[in-house]
Amino acid sequence: MAATSSFTEGTSVFGGQANLLQAIETIFTVYNPDVIAVHTTCLSETIGDDVNQICQKARTEGYVPEGKFVIHCNTPSYVGSHVTGYANMVTSMVKHFATVSTTPKNQINLVAGWCEPSDMREMKRISTQMGIKTVMFPDTSDVLDTPLTGKHEFYPSGGVTIPELVSTGDSKFTLALGSYSSEDAATLLETKCKVKFSVLDLPIGLQATDKYVMALSRASKMPVPDSITADRGRLVDMIADMHQYLYNKRVALFGDPDTLVPLTEFLLSMDMKPVYIVSGTPGKKFETAMTNLLLKKVPEAKFKNGQRADMFLLHQWIKQEPVDLLIGNSYGKYIARDENIPLVRVGFPILDRIGHSHFPIVGYQGGMGLIIKILNAILDKEDRECAEEKVELTM
Amino acid sequence: MAATSSFTEGTSVFGGQANLLQAIETIFTVYNPDVIAVHTTCLSETIGDDVNQICQKARTEGYVPEGKFVIHCNTPSYVGSHVTGYANMVTSMVKHFATVSTTPKNQINLVAGWCEPSDMREMKRISTQMGIKTVMFPDTSDVLDTPLTGKHEFYPSGGVTIPELVSTGDSKFTLALGSYSSEDAATLLETKCKVKFSVLDLPIGLQATDKYVMALSRASKMPVPDSITADRGRLVDMIADMHQYLYNKRVALFGDPDTLVPLTEFLLSMDMKPVYIVSGTPGKKFETAMTNLLLKKVPEAKFKNGQRADMFLLHQWIKQEPVDLLIGNSYGKYIARDENIPLVRVGFPILDRIGHSHFPIVGYQGGMGLIIKILNAILDKEDRECAEEKVELTM
Amino acid sequence: MGKIEIDPLRWKEEVLKKYPKKVAKKRDKGILVHDGEMPKQIMANVRSIPGIITARGCTYAGCKGVVLGPTRDIINLVHGPIGCSFYAWLTRRNQTLPPTPESENFMNYCFSTDMQDSNIVFGGELKLKQAVREVFEIFKPKSIGIFSTCPVGLIGDDVHAVAREMKEELGINIFGFSCEGYKGVSQSAGHHIANNTLMKHVIGRNDTAPEGKYKINMLGEYNIGGDAFELERIFEKCGLTLVSSFSGNSTIEQFERAHTADLNVIMCHRSINYVAEMMETKFGIPWFKVNFIGADASAKSLRRIAEYFEDAELMARVEEVIAEEMAIVKEAIETVYPRTTGKVAMLFVGGSRAHHYQELFSELGMSTLSAGYEFGHRDDYEGRRVIPTIQVDADSRNIEVLTIEADETRYRPRKTDEEIAALNAKGCGFGEYDGMMADMAKGALIIDDISHYEMEKLIEIYHPDIFCAGIKEKYCVQKMGIPLKQLHSYDYGGPYAGFEGAVNFYNDIDMMINTSIWKMIKAPWQVEPVIEAEYGV
Amino acid sequence: MGKIEIDPLRWKEEVLKKYPKKVAKKRDKGILVHDGEMPKQIMANVRSIPGIITARGCTYAGCKGVVLGPTRDIINLVHGPIGCSFYAWLTRRNQTLPPTPESENFMNYCFSTDMQDSNIVFGGELKLKQAVREVFEIFKPKSIGIFSTCPVGLIGDDVHAVAREMKEELGINIFGFSCEGYKGVSQSAGHHIANNTLMKHVIGRNDTAPEGKYKINMLGEYNIGGDAFELERIFEKCGLTLVSSFSGNSTIEQFERAHTADLNVIMCHRSINYVAEMMETKFGIPWFKVNFIGADASAKSLRRIAEYFEDAELMARVEEVIAEEMAIVKEAIETVYPRTTGKVAMLFVGGSRAHHYQELFSELGMSTLSAGYEFGHRDDYEGRRVIPTIQVDADSRNIEVLTIEADETRYRPRKTDEEIAALNAKGCGFGEYDGMMADMAKGALIIDDISHYEMEKLIEIYHPDIFCAGIKEKYCVQKMGIPLKQLHSYDYGGPYAGFEGAVNFYNDIDMMINTSIWKMIKAPWQVEPVIEAEYGV
């Protein structure tokens, strides 16, 4: 739930302190949360409000009830992208809560990265399957995918708790999933609490999931159970079965770097050709990762991120030489329709289909779900458009 | 794996005993199974081979090694349908193995009904979630959905075992899922071992899954855990979200009765209109079930089963008044293409898409998976074909 | 209103108790129980209380999103960081139908200057100019509108100066909007700013009048779900010529010629009455409020338009059309009515919809137990007669009020004062709007800028059969088992305006209220405690 | 053959040990190690051993599925219980291209008498007649074929009598096939039955010869994956006229006119050589074996056809076509060759494909370590010269052998004996087929009717880079990490015949052999024992 401090023109002249303090008071009184997370806007940032100081003041002046918290971070739209804001608030969770106690905990921190509740649920399922206790943050499972019960739960049962966040400082190790989303938080956790960390890709696809499982195994010293090996083998089996339909298919992708990097790797593992890739999120890491993945396998690939790496550019590239598949968020549907390309919806936001919050794309099972969508998109088009004499019952 | 007794014209004159005995010998020697299941053919049935007697002879003449089994049933193509054959072999499993011992077992028998390995896996997952020990038979999970490992497992790790089959006679209760597939087996088990039973629909959809969960709860005296209630609530939530796109949509269905009955109920619970339904499998139960479901809610619905209730008839009905959606096996693709109707593949056989053996349609989660497919089929068509000014980003 | 068991005054009292004192004092004035007499004074169009959880949008949203957004051939260039552009990209559901596939349509694109940190520090005007040139280079539009987001005003970028300079350089119409998000108290401020700019830079620039005997403009209709298409259909059938629509399915050329119409009819009073007022002063075009939400309301509105033109042929044609359309409407309502009558609705949305849609519910036999606007002013609740008494507070004072005079060459009064008076006597109601409350039943709860907390309490206590609001409320409310009809996006249904729209609405409400799934929310083990009963566990 | 580390003789010895004695004795004769000299005698076309797990199909499958299935305008009505119809419905991948959308095409339908218990008891002839009338009523086909399934012969239904009666009643060509599944030892018997019926009831019924200087029939090409389309393209390009194709992309009219061609060329010797033989006797049309699987083989086959017509223009045109096509083929092979050369294939499929496809592998630089047919006869392995010595056993004896004589009016020898001899001297090879073994390398393992067990052992020991078989073998083999190319369905790729087909095959084999996924079968924790190494757990 999102409240606002309700700035007006006057606030922009006199500063937002009074508004924010009142907002904090109102929220705690009316909605009684454990934590208020303050996100700044272009407005408060441009006028130079010191949110940290205001939050301090809220506490000293008694607006924050005993045992409750106000955390904050800087999220002006003119710095980085939406991913930057995400990473900043995740880092803020570490800053405000992670603490070293005298008792180390036999648990692994999972900094989840920007993904769906279904993905977070699946990453936890895998670690549970390995017998590993984890603390995942943020965790939108059982928060953004709650049942219809006849009651609206303002604070649903899922998500990370404050004691769990505090305990992250005592954990054995941190896995940060997605360098753009999660590396800063993991770095701060090491600086603050000496918890060592690895930065991994989000476990999208065979190889990224392999790395996730291996990292979990290394960090926890727990062996990989046969049930996970079997899940892996099922994904391998499915890729082998689908291979002839996917081989050499040209794919255009757009979205966030932490999704695009493992997704590109996944497509390559199936011998598909990710030929055009754009991300609006700036930063050198994207280019480095893509170069490493593509230079040898798809030397003709074009990729670009940051300012001007937009869907207009992607559309121009596609018009120059078409692709067989488009992967990205709902905005892709306009290009898909114009150019008659099947679209597989992955990323944020998906505004026109249901299911992404319930069925993961991470892990081996999520990988199966994803490539089923990819194959269906390609074969449905084939079934629809092929010449009459080429319609196949069996495929 | 399927072997043959290799009849020729000579055999049809002299009878198949010699061939079957040789086959049994060869199979045990070369492939060393625990059980050989003998299915008859039109040929052996028409010439009147007494398979029971031949199997007895195989044992008495030493072709069946100690601790090994040959079971059999009658499966001529001219009696009933493929479902009849399935039901007969399931019944044969009871006949040959189920035994009452002195120690009753705190377990429930699940006679699985004709469905995918993914469905069987999901039905077991639900019972496990409720803390109930079950014996499921037949059970194709981990048999027909095995991983690619570099080794071909002639006898994969999954499926029901002989001791488990034997123990079904000591179980507390039997749930027979699908009256066509499973009722005979459950009836025999009661006759033979006094295990009481209920016949339920395959748990496809909200209401059928409700009945499955309730029946499990009643039979085991175990309460329904909150995690199942939450899964249910998520399906309810999804149906509520999809409702406006599915409401009043006309659907044509074809397939096996045990699938079609709960599927029709599921569509009705979403306020869709199953208007045409055909099944090649004969039997009054289908008509009774469909009449009960449809008479009030969709009085215009046409349905038919048995001889002449084929896809040609279905196609004629569709040509008379079109539908918005077709649900059935891969053969539906020809009607779908001719009439430009989206096809959702459900049933047997699915020969042109991958995934059905890995992702269930039963249970609450399976229900979500199924209606996502239905919604996507409808919306993908809408996105493709609607007028330019009606293209929607958000849906 | 059979369901009201708890006195609404008691409800209000309980709800206010929850708030901090200062908050309660303010909310007290925004919540009224209608006593069925002359509407009482409500506090509206004031700043939302910090922390309260409001459904409101910002000024930029009202200006760019609502008013200018639906015009297909103006390039709407957002000057600011990317967020404001991205989240407003195609998320308002205006439809548009270019006459040919080759006709200009920029609505699917998202134009932004994508301001960065350095632009905040060193200023963004250069980048803005570069963006204007680039967009011109690629798309060659007739016109470009520049929209200011929060930082623009704060760092002192002068979008108007840039617009002037670029207009000169490129030779097309370019204009800026100072619609920074923090202006005013809600999107309503943005509407006003948009209206002002249209008057200053667009309306009246092209004197070529379209053919037609009965020329009107439709103001405040944004073609959500194709509403404008349905109204265009009806107008054409009646023989009316639509000169310009503000702004559903519109083009800039329509705006430029709007002053050639002979009547302005207003749908959404809140968002566009400024334009009607200013056009009357400047060009002599009278206006009145219409309502095409509801079949009866549509018929009534058509009759008033025909009345205005004082032409027997038109009147006859309108009656024919009404008779034809109402036959279909009647058939539809007869099917649905038995399933909807007696049900209870609540509406919290917009600046006119919460009023208009009560008509449709009333046609369905449904009562409106509670309603309120998101960004309405007092006149939208109490009627325009209170306008002179409305106090403009500090938050709204900064919105420019244009001083308009009669256009030297283009002013032409369409009717004499006597004619106006005569038509008024027949019920044309020039320049009038009685507001929502006049149409509501005694005991109804009127709540301005409802908070999330108040909404939850309304539902908890009164269990309406349907709740109308927007996407922010949708899923909370439905989790409570109450269907929520979005009246911004129509839940991707529609059109709901006019006659066919009414039929669509009847069917959609029937669909929602009688959905099977709402009856299956409880699991069987939650309603029949089978285990305990049967086994005593 | 670098990979052979275990002597194939030793392999055979080990494998046979596993079998019961009688079985081993029989299998011993079906497994040969080729010594590179004159092919040794193999036991083929004998009953599969009960319980062995064979890949073979039944007689009905060979008759209806293989030979008649690809003809689009004959209604193939299966007399029998539904299973035989349903499981054969569209599961063989013949493609067909009617000249216009209105042209008849019944291939997508499934026609069956759907016999029930009562029909088994009381006989099914009445039901069959009813079905014939119904199918005629609805579809008005030119022709109907009636196919017998197992019970038909056993219960004494006379499909031929019914066919005659219905033919008279309906006035169209109707004929029956006694192709009960239990006849013969494999689908091969079905081919023979189909061939006989075509000769008796169809071929020679229409004397209207198509235009064209060089008229040929293509026998034993079933248009899997569009092979026939590619051959039609090549023939047309060369100026050859294809009178009839048996039976890929065919019509009954083509069959009826087949005797107007001047040459029969045979692709699949096993399934159709009977027709060629009989047509030579009856109509005087010579035949020779061709092979269009492989680019070089295709070129060679074309040259032989041109040679046959002894026409310089045709020969020149054929050389032009070959030059043009081979340029493209060469480019393709050059890209792929470095990635495929040295790899090892195994082929167990069909009655000619296991031979023909060795050509294509050889063009890819790949060797065939082991091969065998599913339903071949000794002549398919050892060459036609052994035909006189083949003993017909009890299982095959019941397949009718037609006695054919020269047609009184239609017999017309195309070449004199001298011409034939001269052409033979140039390599035309009339009536010859040397069989698979002649083309295989020393040490190759030849296995007829391979059993599942033998297949697993082959792979375990020799680890081929690719294994070619059918759908029954596909997933077992791939579970072992070895890509399996289906040579019945082409894995839904193709065409593979002719020049473009060769290019497709090169690319597909490259795709399969160099698939990334085969290198990822082992999980990292299975190859690097990380836990132990790093933590000593």
Side-chain angles (χ1 to χ4, degrees), chain C residues 263-530:
Chain C
L263 174 67
N264 280 332
V265 297
I266 293 193
M267 274 282 278
C268 175
H269 172 263
R270 179 68 270 135
S271 59
I272 204 97
N273 75 86
Y274 317 95
V275 163
E277 287 275 289
M278 292 186 279
M279 282 180 78
E280 181 156 28
T281 308
K282 190 166 179 180
F283 302 113
I285 308 175
W287 69 269
F288 53 67
K289 173 86 179 66
V290 291
N291 181 16
F292 284 99
I293 302 300
D296 291 336
S298 298
K300 208 169 136 194
S301 296
L302 284 177
R303 289 195 177 106
R304 282 165 66 214
I305 293 170
E307 197 75 66
Y308 171 83
F309 285 105
E310 301 175 279
D311 181 302
E313 194 188 331
L314 176 61
M315 287 186 215
R317 180 68 196 135
V318 160
E319 290 305 327
E320 270 174 55
V321 169
I322 290 170
E324 202 176 304
E325 299 284 332
M326 286 303 272
I328 297 160
V329 168
K330 212 181 150 206
E331 203 186 310
I333 195 74
E334 273 169 8
T335 318
V336 168
Y337 193 87
R339 292 196 292 266
T340 53
T341 185
K343 306 278 182 184
V344 171
M346 294 183 173
L347 300 87
F348 294 93
V349 65
S352 68
R353 291 177 190 265
H355 178 196
H356 289 161
Y357 276 81
Q358 295 188 28
E359 282 272 346
L360 273 170
F361 282 118
S362 153
E363 292 177 355
L364 287 162
M366 295 175 64
S367 58
T368 299
L369 198 147
S370 186
Y373 295 124
E374 201 179 313
F375 53 79
H377 297 201
R378 276 187 57 206
D379 41 322
D380 303 307
Y381 287 101
E382 303 170 47
R384 283 181 67 90
R385 57 181 175 71
V386 304
I387 291 180
T389 71
I390 296 175
Q391 284 211 308
V392 179
D393 67 8
D395 291 323
S396 297
R397 197 163 298 138
N398 298 320
I399 313 302
E400 186 185 17
V401 177
L402 295 190
T403 310
I404 299 287
E405 290 174 1
D407 188 286
E408 282 177 22
T409 58
R410 293 180 185 84
Y411 182 79
R412 179 171 60 83
R414 275 29 175 210
K415 301 274 177 188
T416 63
D417 289 351
E418 292 72 30
E419 285 170 327
I420 290 285
L423 285 168
N424 261 338
K426 288 186 187 170
C428 266
F430 290 102
E432 281 176 19
Y433 175 43
D434 286 341
M436 172 206 286
M437 278 154 80
D439 284 340
M440 292 191 74
K442 193 177 161 184
L445 259 164
I446 320 294
I447 306 174
D448 182 64
D449 187 20
I450 194 171
S451 74
H452 177 91
Y453 178 72
E454 292 154 13
M455 182 182 77
E456 287 222 354
K457 289 294 144 187
L458 263 186
I459 292 171
E460 255 179 61
I461 303 298
Y462 295 113
H463 303 290
D465 296 292
I466 196 158
F467 197 91
C468 301
I471 187 67
K472 289 179 212 156
E473 295 76 34
K474 173 98 183 168
Y475 298 106
C476 305
V477 172
Q478 295 206 158
K479 285 278 193 285
M480 299 186 223
I482 307 293
L484 185 143
K485 182 72 202 169
Q486 294 189 65
L487 285 185
H488 298 287
S489 73
Y490 297 173
D491 287 311
Y492 319 103
Y496 291 149
F499 301 106
E500 285 185 5
V503 173
N504 288 338
F505 193 78
Y506 304 154
N507 290 333
D508 284 0
I509 296 302
D510 176 36
M511 166 183 88
M512 292 183 80
I513 287 189
N514 296 302
T515 305
S516 303
I517 195 66
W518 300 121
K519 298 167 195 108
M520 302 181 203
I521 291 173
K522 290 278 164 231
W525 51 91
Q526 294 176 309
V527 285
E528 25 167 331
V530 51

Side-chain angles (χ1 to χ4, degrees), chain B residues 210 213 217-218 221 224 229 232 237 241 243-245 247 271 297 364 389-390 392-395, chain C residues 89-90 93 95-97 475 479 491-492 511 515-516 520-526 530-531 534-535:
Chain B
D210 282 354
V213 170
S217 179
R218 280 210 178 88
K221 308 189 185 180
V224 181
T229 311
R232 184 186 186 281
D237 193 62
D241 288 351
H243 182 261
Q244 62 171 324
Y245 298 106
Y247 177 76
D271 297 329
K297 284 196 138 185
Y364 301 119
E389 71 274 15
K390 293 289 180 187
E392 301 277 1
L393 171 68
T394 309
M395 276 172 149
Chain C
W89 185 20
L90 287 167
R93 203 177 155 240
Q95 302 184 348
T96 201
L97 178 57
Y475 298 106
K479 285 278 193 285
D491 287 311
Y492 319 103
M511 166 183 88
T515 305
S516 303
M520 302 181 203
I521 291 173
K522 290 278 164 231
W525 51 91
Q526 294 176 309
V530 51
I531 306 308
E534 291 186 18
Y535 305 98

